[in-house]
Amino acid sequence: MSEWVLLLGGSTGHGAATAKRLSSDGYGIIAFHFDRGDAKKVAEETISEVSELTNGRCHYFNTNATSEEAMEKYIPKIKEITKGEPLKLLLHSIAFGTTTNFFGEKPVTQRQMDMTVHVMGNSILYWTQKLYDSNLLASGSRILGLTSEGNYLAMEGYGPVSVAKVAMEAIIRQIGWELGEVGITANAIQAGITPTRALTKITENWEEWVESTKKRNPMRRTTTPEDVAKTISMLLKPEADFINCSIIYCDGGESRSGAF
Ligand SMILES: NC(=O)c1ccc[n+]([C@@H]2O[C@H](COP(=O)([O-])OP(=O)(O)OC[C@H]3O[C@@H](n4cnc5c(N)ncnc54)[C@H](O)[C@@H]3O)[C@@H](O)[C@H]2O)c1
């Protein structure tokens, strides 16, 4: 097993914190991001920090990682980087989708639904299939995706992403069920509300949402990307070898807390 991890969405939020944490744990980082403008500047800061932490054992690609062309183009490069050794981790931490309601002023279109479900849900399956076929996943490899409370709650603007989360959870369960026999596990991490760039895109009222979440959360704060990164670091240890087809909550108990 090589000491390389592949992060889809590794420039900001949960993915960036995971890149930094796993760099400190000694892993080499291969990551995709898709950033323009101001987001690109933030990405560049992350990349230089990760590059320092890994002593240059890091490769970031700024492209849409969810297209079939990207998978075909980059998998051979990934194989070169790891010298053919399988990856320890495939993490899906991409946030890119349509945040609108099903009815009202801007009802979601079929194109938007298909795009959101592909980017935030189905794409983890196609990556897993192609990496597995290329022998880049093997016994001890982990597949992880990020889900949210929106997987079972309806809320303003979150419908398309909610559908993608449910699809991703089903895909992860099925991957773990099919590949468990070869020692590859697949799990979803349910993060609590985390103030990241993605959160600001869901609703204009995200700051109010953060404040009310702090009251509702038993630990009286929102989740941080570092909380999620620590959970991922823990799940890579051999002690977690038998955790499969599960949803792991990293939210301070938020999803178990009733209205305040
Ligand atoms: N922020 C929250 O409250 C929260 C809670 C639970 C789960 N999540 C989930 O965590 C995951 C990461 O979200 P975040 O909050 O860290 O968001 P973020 O906006 O900080 O990060 C998103 C990352 O995805 C990358 N990206 C976007 N489109 C891409 C594409 N087509 N190809 C490659 N990279 C792409 C961006 O460059 C960035 O690195 C998402 O799945 C999100 O739904 C977020």
Side-chain angles (χ1 to χ4, degrees):
M1 176 68 55
S2 81
E3 296 303 303
W4 287 92
V5 296
L6 173 59
L7 314 177
L8 307 178
S11 61
T12 57
H14 295 123
T18 302
K20 291 176 202 169
R21 172 67 203 221
L22 297 185
S23 301
S24 308
D25 289 351
Y27 289 100
I29 308 292
I30 306 167
F32 285 85
H33 63 121
F34 198 28
D35 296 313
R36 306 279 178 264
D38 283 349
K40 200 172 160 193
K41 286 187 200 139
V42 179
E44 280 160 6
E45 284 168 26
T46 303
I47 296 167
S48 79
E49 206 177 321
V50 173
S51 178
E52 211 167 292
L53 286 165
T54 54
N55 263 330
R57 284 179 76 233
C58 104
H59 302 263
Y60 268 80
F61 305 111
N62 190 2
T63 189
N64 174 12
T66 68
S67 74
E68 200 175 352
E69 299 80 67
M71 297 178 204
E72 298 295 346
K73 178 175 168 190
Y74 286 97
I75 286 178
K77 287 188 203 284
I78 294 169
K79 208 162 185 174
E80 258 175 54
I81 294 169
T82 71
K83 301 197 170 52
E85 291 298 314
L87 298 158
K88 180 65 197 172
L89 167 71
L90 165 66
L91 172 72
H92 185 293
S93 185
I94 291 178
F96 187 89
T98 303
T99 46
T100 192
N101 283 340
F102 289 178
F103 302 94
E105 248 177 63
K106 285 189 186 158
V108 72
T109 64
Q110 182 176 344
R111 208 164 145 257
Q112 290 169 329
M113 278 300 283
D114 292 349
M115 182 275 286
T116 305
V117 174
H118 172 73
V119 170
M120 294 189 76
N122 299 349
S123 61
I124 193 172
L125 168 60
Y126 308 129
W127 265 105
T128 305
Q129 286 177 324
K130 291 185 196 303
L131 291 170
Y132 186 64
D133 284 348
S134 310
N135 298 316
L136 281 166
L137 296 172
S139 182
S141 298
R142 315 274 199 243
I143 317 293
L144 293 172
L146 283 159
T147 189
S148 72
E149 208 180 10
N151 59 3
Y152 57 86
L153 288 180
M155 52 186 122
E156 187 70 25
Y158 203 75
V161 178
S162 175
V163 175
K165 293 295 179 208
V166 173
M168 174 186 270
E169 287 176 20
I171 289 167
I172 283 176
R173 186 168 59 235
Q174 186 75 19
I175 291 173
W177 188 84
E178 293 191 29
L179 298 186
E181 66 182 4
V182 295
I184 298 169
T185 60
N187 293 289
I189 296 171
Q190 184 171 317
I193 287 177
T194 318
T196 63
R197 188 157 51 103
L199 187 74
T200 67
K201 308 271 184 216
I202 297 170
T203 163
E204 283 173 4
N205 303 327
W206 67 272
E207 279 162 309
E208 279 168 39
W209 206 8
V210 164
E211 285 317 307
S212 63
T213 301
K214 283 184 193 164
K215 290 188 189 140
R216 183 183 146 216
N217 190 300
M219 301 190 79
R220 300 290 178 260
R221 67 168 177 87
T222 48
T223 306
T224 65
E226 290 71 28
D227 292 321
V228 171
K230 282 192 269 183
T231 304
I232 292 173
S233 166
M234 197 168 68
L235 289 171
L236 299 198
K237 294 192 196 309
E239 286 81 352
D241 276 354
F242 207 54
I243 300 176
N244 192 23
C245 303
S246 295
I247 296 177
I248 291 118
Y249 295 82
C250 176
D251 68 352
E254 191 170 296
S255 55
R256 298 299 187 206
S257 175
F260 201 68

